[in-house]
Amino acid sequence: MSGDDGAAPVEARRVGTFTVTALNDAVGVFPVSVDVAFPGASPSALAAARELDPRACDEPSVWRLSFRAFAVRGDDGRVLVVDLGVGSEHSPASRWAPTPGRLPLAMAAAGIRPEDVDVVVLTHLHSDHCGWVLGDDGEPLFGNAEHVIQHRELESLTEESSPGLRQHVVEPLRRGDLLRPIRGRQVLRSAGRSTVAAVPTPGHTPGHQSVVVTSSHDIVVVTGDAFVHAAQLADPTTSYVHEDDPTRAAATRDQLLELAGGGRSALATAHTMRPFFDVDDGAVQRPAP
């Protein structure tokens, strides 16, 4: 996959006592065309995707995508990070993704040091979401953080589905007592009316999870790979060729759009070129230019 340095301005959303900040690790062009990656996508969904996320679709049939993490920082200074990008040039993602990523630099630009992070949420065990579990020195980059993964995701991990990840992710975290398997929805942060929760969102993988940040009527859903392309924002039935269970993945997208409908709400997405998409009453609204 071809790529660039992933440089991007810092973009963030405020939700009660929490700030959700996009951290770009890399940008690349997917190795297969859009019609291969999304074989059932309707012309109307693809047309809507070009309006919603034009930089991802600025060439016919080409899918340009980001590889993005998100930081959720509380007013108390504690930092939770969702996903860890493609990683260093030695990570499993280097077999196909644009490595090395620049997540440590993106974090520094946002005023976050690895030692500031006390929770990492891995939405799922694909190599482009957990690359920076290990740093350049081969040791856990976030040595002060528990790494939260759904137990179902660990159960379903195989060398065939995720080459190298047991050795690169699971075993080092277990050795360092940094792995925290959970089952189902779990609140990870709470401050007044504001909460941060891990929520199962299966379909892309069996144990996929998303992170929901809420405060009163405000909500940001960090979706992981529940949505990988703006065509799925326009039409949640649009399946991605690498989904474990396309039917369940489509149902999950419907549920997330319903969850985020109303109030001031947004979806925070890992692979679209725009990090945040505003939602109103279940319909994704085109972001202001």
Side-chain angles (χ1 to χ4, degrees), residues 229-284:
H229 192 277
Q232 296 177 312
L233 296 167
D235 179 1
T237 68
T238 302
S239 294
Y240 173 45
V241 70
H242 292 302
E243 287 170 341
D244 175 75
D245 185 336
T247 300
R248 196 167 192 184
T252 286
R253 286 189 284 274
D254 276 334
Q255 291 165 5
L256 288 178
L257 287 170
E258 182 178 355
L259 173 66
R264 291 182 298 178
S265 56
L267 301 178
T269 49
H271 292 307
T272 53
M273 294 298 291
R274 306 185 80 136
F276 297 102
F277 292 86
D278 296 320
V279 180
D280 180 28
D281 295 329
V284 174

Side-chain angles (χ1 to χ4, degrees), residues 106-188:
M107 292 177 63
I112 301 170
R113 302 171 302 170
E115 57 264 34
D116 298 332
V117 179
D118 64 353
V119 175
V120 171
V121 179
L122 298 176
T123 61
H124 62 296
L125 292 175
H126 281 170
S127 60
D128 56 323
H129 288 258
C130 46
W132 285 107
V133 161
L134 301 183
D136 288 321
D137 61 359
E139 296 297 322
L141 182 60
F142 301 94
N144 296 334
E146 59 181 14
H147 291 60
V148 178
I149 306 174
Q150 287 288 328
H151 195 275
R152 180 71 183 92
E153 188 73 358
L154 289 170
E155 287 181 330
S156 65
L157 179 65
T158 67
E159 185 64 19
E160 181 180 3
S161 66
S162 300
L165 288 201
R166 191 170 298 280
Q167 178 181 2
H168 182 88
V169 174
V170 177
E171 292 175 3
L173 292 179
R174 281 183 171 151
R175 284 197 300 269
D177 196 25
L178 300 174
L179 184 66
R180 178 185 170 191
I182 63 172
R183 296 181 187 271
R185 182 183 185 275
Q186 186 147 346
V187 174
L188 304 174

